Amino acid sequence: MIMNIASRVHLAGLVCLAGSMLQIIYGLLSIPFPYAQSIAAWPEILWALANVGMIGGALGLLALGVARPGWIALIGATLTILGNLIRIVVSALLILFPLQDAYVPLILVSIFLVVLGMGVLGITTLLGKQLSGWQAWTPLLAGGFTFIPASIYSISLFFHFILLGLWGLPWMLVGYVVFTHAAKQEMVAQVSGATTGK
């Protein structure tokens, strides 16, 4: 049972790592292909997949059981995932019906939910005191970094999209934390199972 949970957390960490890499690629590709001047579908597909990675990160952090109290952490993860799901729906709508301005309210709601959710998850992770050093701060970093690309949106769309890609870096750290801690839990479960078997 413990081994099963650890395997799923392991998978969530991998999903988060993959999503963060796609997010960084999204930012890099915005340099030769400015998204503000494009109606192509592939940037939105990339961004939707990046959001799937964020969902993996939030689920992985929750499943690790490092946040306290657990029920507040659950609220944080739920808010984050809801924000990501809304953004994935917006990506689908932008591909099918490319009317950028029509979806701005939904995008703002999704950003608010992700920031709030990761803030709650980050605070409960710190309160849990199960992670040490920089690793304990990764959820707050992932949520807080959102303010950087958001603040530059009205100043420069070119840099806004590059910074959205750089937002993948803190998510990569979240994925790393989830992945490595899940691997440790899996190893402990294996050793425990072998000992019990004797």
Side-chain angles (χ1 to χ4, degrees):
M1 178 69 176
I2 296 172
M3 185 101 161
N4 224 4
I5 294 169
S7 297
R8 288 175 187 173
V9 179
H10 208 207
L11 178 61
L14 279 174
V15 169
C16 186
L17 284 168
S20 66
M21 283 188 268
L22 288 174
Q23 194 170 347
I24 292 166
I25 291 168
Y26 173 93
L28 291 173
L29 288 175
S30 75
I31 299 170
F33 307 106
Y35 300 145
Q37 302 162 20
S38 171
I39 56 167
W42 62 266
E44 285 303 326
I45 293 171
L46 267 181
W47 192 248
L49 291 172
N51 273 270
V52 172
M54 294 178 204
I55 290 172
L59 281 175
L61 283 168
L62 183 66
L64 274 179
V66 294
R68 301 286 187 278
W71 66 273
I72 296 180
L74 176 61
I75 292 171
T78 303
L79 290 172
T80 301
I81 293 165
L82 181 59
N84 294 132
L85 289 174
I86 290 171
R87 189 58 184 86
I88 290 167
V89 169
V90 170
S91 288
L93 289 171
L94 281 167
I95 292 167
L96 296 170
F97 314 104
L99 303 166
Q100 185 75 42
D101 292 344
Y103 309 119
V104 169
L106 282 175
I107 292 171
L108 292 174
V109 168
S110 73
I111 292 168
F112 173 74
L113 289 172
V114 170
V115 171
L116 180 61
M118 288 307 290
V120 172
L121 199 49
I123 291 167
T124 52
T125 299
L126 288 172
L127 290 173
K129 296 180 181 177
Q130 303 295 305
L131 298 177
S132 58
W134 64 268
Q135 297 188 354
W137 291 90
T138 53
L140 276 179
L141 181 62
F145 192 94
T146 320
F147 291 109
I148 301 173
S151 65
I152 206 169
Y153 180 81
S154 58
I155 300 168
S156 170
L157 282 175
F158 178 75
F159 287 110
H160 167 75
F161 288 114
I162 294 171
L163 288 167
L164 278 181
L166 289 176
W167 187 24
L169 293 173
W171 280 106
M172 187 175 283
L173 294 176
V174 170
Y176 172 81
V177 169
V178 171
F179 184 83
T180 53
H181 278 267
K184 286 176 188 173
Q185 288 180 354
E186 221 169 348
M187 196 177 296
V188 168
Q190 284 176 343
V191 171
S192 178
T195 306
T196 306
K198 290 177 184 178

